[in-house]
Amino acid sequence: GKGANQCVQAAKLYDAKGKETASVAMVGCVGVDVFGNEMVANFEKFGIDTSCIGRSQDTPSGVAPIAVDAAGENRIIVAPGANFNILPETIRQKEVSDLIAGSKVVVTQLEIPIESTFEALKVARSAGRTTIFNPAPA
């Protein structure tokens, strides 16, 4: 999804001298399935901290297939899957809240329940961190 794409792009940022500009971490949840395995492996390939990505035995990874009609118009069909297991209580867990509070910038979307997104923003703002809330295309 959008959050995963933004996470990977942030991990690819380099300064003019070719030095990495930031360490990047992802908070989320994936299923114990091929999609979840591939997503976590891809994050790790780019050096992204995956310690706060949960693995659900009961809920599959979310997917968002894109259908394009003959006129070139697209429709994105979102099945949020395991990411909707991220609850405000998840954000308040010490490992997750410490990661958020220790970040310089926290980027959020609406790919987890909105209450959980707001909880992450509260944790970040309470720690004086820069926050970015990107709801589009909700």
Side-chain angles (χ1 to χ4, degrees), residues 6 105-109 117 121 129-134:
Q6 291 171 336
V105 178
V106 176
V107 181
T108 63
Q109 305 80 30
T117 298
L121 291 167
R129 304 305 176 214
T130 299
T131 57
I132 300 170
F133 175 53
N134 183 357

Side-chain angles (χ1 to χ4, degrees), residues 66-80:
I66 302 170
V68 181
D69 68 18
E73 296 294 319
N74 71 31
R75 305 259 190 287
I76 303 172
I77 300 96
V78 177

Side-chain angles (χ1 to χ4, degrees), residues 15-71:
D15 65 17
K17 296 178 183 173
K19 181 181 176 207
E20 287 184 2
T21 59
S23 59
V24 179
M26 181 71 166
V27 175
C29 188
V30 296
V32 179
D33 52 40
V34 68
F35 297 114
N37 295 341
E38 287 181 8
M39 182 171 294
V40 172
N42 189 53
F43 286 149
E44 290 171 347
K45 178 175 87 175
F46 288 103
I48 296 167
D49 177 351
T50 60
S51 63
C52 289
I53 295 178
R55 301 299 299 257
S56 176
Q57 296 285 341
D58 303 322
T59 310
S61 297
V63 294
I66 302 170
V68 181
D69 68 18

Side-chain angles (χ1 to χ4, degrees), residues 78-109:
V78 177
N83 243 359
F84 262 55
N85 292 341
I86 302 292
L87 303 175
E89 300 81 52
T90 310
I91 302 300
R92 290 191 289 268
Q93 291 174 356
K94 182 169 175 35
E95 182 179 11
V96 176
S97 63
D98 285 354
L99 176 70
I100 292 169
S103 300
K104 290 182 182 177
V105 178
V106 176
V107 181
T108 63
Q109 305 80 30

